[in-house]
Amino acid sequence: MSAPVLKLDDARASKAAPAAEVVAFRAPKAPSPLQKRAGDVLNWATTTLVPPLVVLTLLLLFWELVCSRPGSSLPPPSQVVTDTWELIVNPFYDRGGLDKGLFWHLLASLQRVALGYAIAVVVGVAFGVLVGQSTWAMRGLDPIFQILRTVPPLAWLPLALAAFRDGQPSAIFVIFITSVWPIIINTAVGIRNIPTDYSNVAKVIRLNGFEYFTKIMIPAAAPYIFTGLRIGIGLSWLAIVAAEMLIGGVGIGFFIWDAWNSSNISDIILALVYVGVVGFILDRIVAFIAGAVTRGTANA
Amino acid sequence: MSKQAFLSIQHVDKAFSRGGVTNEVLKDVSLDVNEGEYISIIGHSGCGKSTLLNIVAGLTGVTKGVVFLEGKVVDEPGPDRAVVFQNHSLLPWLTAYENVALAVDKVFARTKTKAERHEWTMRQIELVNMAHAKDRRPSEISGGMKQRIGIARALAMQPKVLLLDEPFGALDALTRTHLQDQVMQIQTELKNTVLMITHDVDEAVLLSDRIVMMTNGPSARIGEVLSVPLERPRKRLELVSDRTYIAARAAVLKFLYERHRFIEAA
C-alpha cells in the first residue's frame, strides 16, 4: 500500500527539480529613501487629496452652471473670483477704519476667540474637575449647567452688553459662555470615569492631593477633556461670527454683515470660505494637540 | 500582645451596606502571618478574599476587628503594603519605566538621591527581566509584561508585605507558568512576606508555605489553613509526582469542591 504513494512522491520531486534550477531571481533593488518618500506623498495625494478635489470641482461646475443664467440671485464662482480679486491677492491692506484686508478681520476675530476660549478652558476644566470629583458639587451644579448650556449663545449677548457696556468684552463673554459647557461636562465625565485602580495605586504610594491631580487625574481624564475642548473651539468659532455681526467693529462677522449691507454678495462668499477654512484649521490644531498629549491614554 | 505575629489579622468582620441592605462579606476572620512567609488565600469567587486583601492593603475599612502590621494598626493604604492588582493597573500614559519610577520617586523622595532612585528603578525592572521594554507604554506590551511591571512597581516600594490580587488570573497558561516561576525566584531572593489571592489550586500549592481556604460567602470565614511543607526551591516538574504536593493539592481540591461547593455556579 505504501509503495505507490512513495512513487507518487518521487515523480513529483523529479518534476519539480528542474524548476529549482531555473529560479534565479535578481534581488529587487531596494527603493531609495527619496523614492520611498515620493511614493508616500503620491499615495497620500491619491487617497486624501484627490477625492475632495474631484468633488469640489464638480460642485463648482454645478454652481457655475446654475448661477450663470441671467437674472440668477447669486453670482457664479467665476464672478466671485473676479469681484473679490483684490481681497484675495491683498489680504493685508489697511486703509484705516473698517476698510482693512481680510487678514485683519480674521485676526481680530481670532483674538476674541483666543481670549474667550482661553478663559473657557481654565474655568471649564476647573468646574469640570469640581463637578466630577465631588458628588455634592455635581448634585448642586449639574442641573444648573444642563439648563444654562441650552441657552443659545446670542441670547447672552444683550445681557453681556448690558453688563459690560462695550462690544469687545461682550463678544469675548459670548465666546466664553458658548464653549465652556462642553468643556465642563466632558471634563466632569472624564474625572468621574477614572478607574478605581488608578486611585488605588495613588493611595498605595500615597500621592498627595496636588500630585494626584497632576499625575493621575488630568492625564486620566485628558481624552475626555480634549473631546470637550474640540467641541468648544468649534462652537466658539460658530458664535463669534454671529456675535460680531451684532456688535460691529473689525472682525470677520462684521465684514460679512457689512458686505451684505453693501450688497457685495461675492465678498460674503469669499468670507464664508475663509471662515470655513479657519474653523477647520482651529479644529485640526486642537485635535493635533490632543493627539500629542493623550498618546496611548485612549487605549490602555 | 507582646509576642504578636508580623502581620496579624484579628477577628475581622466586614459588611457592606447599600440602600439599607447590609451584606456581610467576612465574618470573624483571624490570621497570623510570619515574616517571610508566602500565604495564598483561595476560595470561590465572591467569598470575599479580595475584600480581605483590600482590608490588609488599607483600601477598605473593617466593620469590626483590627489588622496589625509589626504591631501597628493598619487603617490606611501605604507603600509598606504594596499591591499587585489583578489587571496590572499601570498608568497607560506612562512608560513602563515611568510607572515604576512614579512609585520609587514618591516612596523614596527623602531617603534616596535622584541618581539612586533611577538606579533603584532600573534594578526592579531588571529583576523582572523587563529592561528591554522599559520605554514602552502599557498598550505596547503583552499582558504578562504588564503584570511583570506591576510586580516591579510593587517590589520597588520595598513593602513589608507584598499583596498579590490574583496576579496571574488574566494571563494565558504559558505566561502564567513563566511568571509564577519568576515570582518564586524573586521571593527566594528577597524573602518577601507575601499574601496572594488566587483561585488556582496548583498555583497555591506550588507557591505557598500555607494555604488559607475560605468558605463561601456571605459571611465567609477561614475554613481551613493548610501547611505546604515542600522544600524550596521548588521545581514544577519534579513536584508533579511528589507525594506531599499531590496530597496538598488533593486537600485543597477536596475543601473547595466537596465540602464547600460553589452553589450558585458562576
Side-chain angles (χ1 to χ4, degrees), chain A residues 135-210:
Chain A
T135 315
W136 280 106
M138 187 191 76
R139 286 180 192 160
L141 290 171
D142 196 56
I144 299 172
F145 289 164
Q146 295 298 344
I147 290 171
L148 288 183
R149 79 186 173 93
T150 62
V151 175
L154 279 190
W156 290 98
L157 189 60
L159 192 65
L161 283 169
F164 297 114
R165 295 169 191 283
D166 186 15
Q168 185 73 357
S170 304
I172 291 167
F173 175 78
V174 168
I175 299 305
F176 160 76
I177 206 80
T178 310
S179 52
V180 77
W181 309 117
I183 301 177
I184 292 180
I185 289 164
N186 281 286
T187 305
V189 171
I191 299 286
R192 228 172 290 151
N193 281 351
I194 294 176
T196 340
D197 285 340
Y198 297 172
S199 54
N200 280 347
V201 169
K203 281 182 201 156
V204 168
I205 62 176
R206 290 213 178 118
L207 292 183
N208 61 36
F210 178 70

Side-chain angles (χ1 to χ4, degrees), chain B residues 21 38 44 52 57 97 99 109 118 130 152 161 187 196 226 230:
Chain B
V21 184
Y38 198 121
H44 292 289
L52 182 59
Y97 173 86
N99 264 291
H118 167 73
M130 281 294 293
V161 185
Q187 208 258 340
M196 177 178 80
L226 178 77
L230 286 168

Side-chain angles (χ1 to χ4, degrees), chain B residues 217-234:
Chain B
S219 307
R221 294 169 292 104
I222 291 180
E224 221 169 277
V225 178
L226 178 77
S227 286
V228 186
L230 286 168
E231 289 288 312
R232 285 180 193 273
R234 296 174 181 172

Side-chain angles (χ1 to χ4, degrees), chain A residues 77-231:
Chain A
S78 56
Q79 180 73 36
V80 171
V81 173
T82 36
D83 284 352
T84 61
W85 189 247
E86 207 207 318
L87 284 170
I88 296 173
V89 293
N90 195 2
F92 299 111
Y93 77 88
D94 186 352
R95 294 194 198 109
L98 297 178
D99 195 6
K100 292 173 196 281
L102 274 171
F103 172 80
W104 302 112
H105 287 287
L106 283 168
L107 187 68
S109 301
L110 280 172
Q111 279 170 345
R112 293 192 183 104
V113 167
L115 197 54
Y117 181 68
I119 301 170
V121 170
V122 174
V123 174
V125 171
F127 269 97
V129 169
L130 180 69
V131 171
Q133 181 73 331
S134 140
T135 315
W136 280 106
M138 187 191 76
R139 286 180 192 160
L141 290 171
D142 196 56
I144 299 172
F145 289 164
Q146 295 298 344
I147 290 171
L148 288 183
R149 79 186 173 93
T150 62
V151 175
L154 279 190
W156 290 98
L157 189 60
L159 192 65
L161 283 169
F164 297 114
R165 295 169 191 283
D166 186 15
Q168 185 73 357
S170 304
I172 291 167
F173 175 78
V174 168
I175 299 305
F176 160 76
I177 206 80
T178 310
S179 52
V180 77
W181 309 117
I183 301 177
I184 292 180
I185 289 164
N186 281 286
T187 305
V189 171
I191 299 286
R192 228 172 290 151
N193 281 351
I194 294 176
T196 340
D197 285 340
Y198 297 172
S199 54
N200 280 347
V201 169
K203 281 182 201 156
V204 168
I205 62 176
R206 290 213 178 118
L207 292 183
N208 61 36
F210 178 70
E211 288 167 328
Y212 180 67
F213 178 74
T214 54
K215 292 189 172 157
I216 308 281
M217 210 187 249
I218 292 298
Y224 289 90
I225 295 175
F226 273 102
T227 305
L229 293 184
R230 251 183 105 176
I231 299 172

Side-chain angles (χ1 to χ4, degrees), chain A residues 197-201 203-208 211 215-217 219-221 293 295-297 299-300, chain B residues 59 76-79 81-83 85 87 89-93 102-103 106-107 137 139 146 153 157:
Chain A
D197 285 340
Y198 297 172
S199 54
N200 280 347
V201 169
K203 281 182 201 156
V204 168
I205 62 176
R206 290 213 178 118
L207 292 183
N208 61 36
E211 288 167 328
K215 292 189 172 157
I216 308 281
M217 210 187 249
V293 173
R295 228 170 346 136
T297 313
N299 46 1
Chain B
L59 293 166
E76 58 169 356
R81 282 154 287 121
V83 187
F85 297 94
N87 46 359
S89 38
L90 299 180
L91 305 175
W93 55 89
L102 179 71
K106 182 64 192 164
V107 175
R137 285 166 198 277
S139 55
K146 283 182 216 170
R153 177 173 63 186
M157 302 177 210

